[in-house]
Amino acid sequence: MPIIAYMGVPNDRNEEQYFRDFSDCGFNVSLYGYASLRQLTTACRIADRYGVKILGHCPETHDRPEKAASILKDMPGFFGYVLQDEPSAPEIRELQKEILRLKAIDDRHCFYINLHPYYDDWTLDFTETESYDDYLDTAIATSCGQLSFDYYPVTKQGLRDGWYDNLELIRQKSIQAGIPFWGFVLSVPHAVYPQPTIGSLRLQVYSNLAYGAQAIQYFTYWTPEPEKENNFHNGPVNRKGKKTKTYYLVQAMNRELKTVSKLFYGARVISVRHLGRVDRGTSQLKQVPLNVRRLRVMGRSGAIVSQMEKQGHRYLVIVNKDYNSRMQVFLTMKSLVPRHLTKSLREEKPKDTYSVAPGDVLLFKLK
């Protein structure tokens, strides 16, 4: 599974130590904009030594796409082309022309556009569409091959109430179009967004996975320059290239993610329901999952209950929607077939009661 860092290793730090630290933090794709094609290819060669790939762009990929693609198509360590972050619908339609020029030379790599989230109808001013559906349809009509969107739910005031609604919309469009979606995790404090905790990171990662995300992206790895309103600070790596306390939180999260992603990557989500509190745009769990007789949760925010299939097996995913407090899960199985899965994906006999850490996930193999 791609574990992507937005603002990964900068183009002025194309050095072994920085890609080593990047890989050690658990990332395998570095997203960055480069000042030249030469710098981009240099980054690819260094990144490849550490099992990392580059998702990037440079002036040549936009101005001379055929030349850039002819060089990058066979470049070790290259993951794909960044077209634009949060474009409007008219801009997306223009970007399709650029994608087709690149794709005529290189049809093996990723073509990346990251979309606006849907916070409320005021965001439609940025998309320049009449509805968020129209905006997503415009992106689907391109040759990108995935839906990427950057909703950041955890704020200093609590969890945004439209996050799961946005996930529902993205998941529905992803299924209809037959293309995967990629979700985001916020890892740099700024503006209304607080210092990440392991609970807030887990909630974002496991909620995205429960809905079917096929890549996890972090904003950001390298700390951006502070802006008047944003005051970016304390990303995993600071502006001088030094590790911060956030680095070790993200590293711990990615250790979990690398293991559990073996279950989620390539899985087909059958249903996503909510138990306990039902958020806007979501549906209450009314029927217990396969081979489960009873399922109940006790917690302030309730749970996501997702069922998925992979390689002929059915799986149950339960996510604690509270990133500050533990949740109790009570369940009874109908037979001896279901097994509890640890985060190392080891099978165990299921228990009747589980205590789930803030934002954490509980996994079962149902058949």
Side-chain angles (χ1 to χ4, degrees):
M1 175 179 284
I3 305 175
I4 303 167
Y6 196 96
M7 289 194 69
V9 180
N11 61 188
D12 61 350
R13 303 296 178 106
N14 273 346
E15 300 172 29
E16 300 271 344
Q17 70 179 84
Y18 295 111
F19 279 104
R20 185 185 305 114
D21 289 346
F22 185 83
S23 177
D24 287 347
C25 196
F27 293 105
N28 53 30
V29 179
S30 175
L31 189 156
Y32 209 86
Y34 293 83
S36 69
L37 182 59
R38 183 180 63 80
Q39 286 187 336
L40 173 52
T41 56
T42 298
C44 288
R45 282 190 285 268
I46 299 173
D48 188 57
R49 296 171 200 156
Y50 295 94
V52 172
K53 294 186 179 296
I54 301 297
L55 177 56
H57 66 93
C58 60
E60 292 89 338
T61 58
H62 299 295
D63 302 335
R64 304 176 69 186
E66 290 86 359
K67 176 188 175 182
S70 66
I71 293 171
L72 292 169
K73 67 176 183 177
D74 298 316
M75 177 65 59
F78 183 62
F79 187 80
Y81 305 87
V82 173
L83 279 301
Q84 190 172 330
D85 182 45
E86 296 187 338
S88 65
E91 288 173 326
I92 291 172
R93 286 188 281 269
E94 284 300 310
L95 290 171
Q96 171 66 355
K97 299 174 184 177
E98 189 175 325
I99 294 172
L100 292 177
R101 290 178 69 185
L102 289 164
K103 200 168 186 178
I105 307 298
D106 180 4
D107 63 357
R108 295 187 295 110
H109 288 105
C110 165
F111 301 93
Y112 178 89
I113 294 173
N114 182 54
L115 303 176
H116 284 285
Y118 179 68
Y119 288 140
D120 218 324
D121 280 351
W122 62 265
T123 58
L124 301 180
D125 292 340
F126 299 101
T127 67
E128 297 185 44
T129 56
E130 293 186 1
S131 71
Y132 194 66
D133 262 14
D134 291 343
Y135 182 59
L136 296 180
D137 287 340
T138 303
I140 288 168
T142 70
S143 303
C144 275
Q146 71 280 325
L147 282 175
S148 171
F149 79 115
D150 57 359
Y151 197 114
Y152 304 127
V154 179
T155 75
K156 293 175 182 177
Q157 289 72 44
L159 201 67
R160 292 183 188 269
D161 65 3
W163 182 34
Y164 293 112
D165 188 21
N166 206 159
L167 274 169
E168 293 277 349
L169 290 168
I170 291 286
R171 176 175 176 264
Q172 291 166 14
K173 288 293 184 181
S174 169
I175 293 170
Q176 290 169 11
I179 59 175
F181 82 85
W182 295 359
F184 259 91
V185 176
L186 187 62
S187 51
V188 58
H190 68 284
V192 300
Y193 304 107
Q195 168 65 34
T197 64
I198 192 63
S200 69
L201 294 178
R202 279 173 169 162
L203 176 66
Q204 293 171 84
V205 167
Y206 292 128
S207 294
N208 275 298
L209 293 178
Y211 269 84
Q214 293 296 289
I216 296 295
Q217 308 172 78
Y218 286 77
F219 182 87
T220 61
Y221 174 71
W222 209 272
T223 303
E225 290 295 325
E227 299 172 352
K228 183 177 180 181
E229 296 181 356
N230 284 322
N231 186 30
F232 292 108
H233 63 283
N234 210 36
V237 172
N238 67 23
R239 285 179 287 278
K240 294 182 179 180
K242 303 298 183 182
K243 300 172 186 176
T244 70
K245 63 180 181 180
T246 309
Y247 177 97
Y248 299 101
L249 282 173
V250 170
Q251 184 183 55
M253 182 70 255
N254 283 341
R255 285 198 190 106
E256 292 184 19
L257 176 55
K258 278 197 167 184
T259 304
V260 298
S261 66
K262 296 172 186 175
L263 169 62
F264 289 96
Y265 193 56
R268 182 177 71 89
V269 175
I270 301 167
S271 68
V272 183
R273 297 291 184 266
H274 288 238
L275 193 56
R277 193 177 78 191
V278 179
D279 298 271
R280 188 179 83 199
T282 67
S283 301
Q284 175 80 39
L285 179 71
K286 295 181 179 179
Q287 184 176 357
V288 291
L290 179 73
N291 285 332
V292 176
R293 188 181 307 279
R294 182 178 71 107
L295 173 60
R296 183 170 64 90
V297 301
M298 184 181 297
R300 294 192 308 175
S301 301
I304 302 171
V305 180
S306 173
Q307 291 188 73
M308 54 183 58
E309 286 185 342
K310 185 174 182 180
Q311 297 176 345
H313 297 288
R314 178 77 64 90
Y315 296 94
L316 173 64
V317 178
I318 303 172
V319 180
N320 178 4
K321 294 195 295 181
D322 191 328
Y323 58 93
N324 290 315
S325 304
R326 302 186 75 89
M327 175 183 73
Q328 302 301 310
V329 177
F330 309 92
L331 76 170
T332 305
M333 301 300 185
K334 287 183 178 178
S335 70
L336 299 176
V337 173
R339 308 296 289 174
H340 171 240
L341 295 179
T342 67
K343 285 184 181 173
S344 64
L345 303 185
R346 186 179 72 250
E347 296 186 15
E348 298 179 339
K349 180 181 178 181
K351 299 185 295 184
D352 293 332
T353 306
Y354 291 88
S355 179
V356 184
D360 213 349
V361 69
L362 193 57
L363 303 170
F364 295 93
K365 182 179 179 182
L366 298 179
K367 75 165 188 174

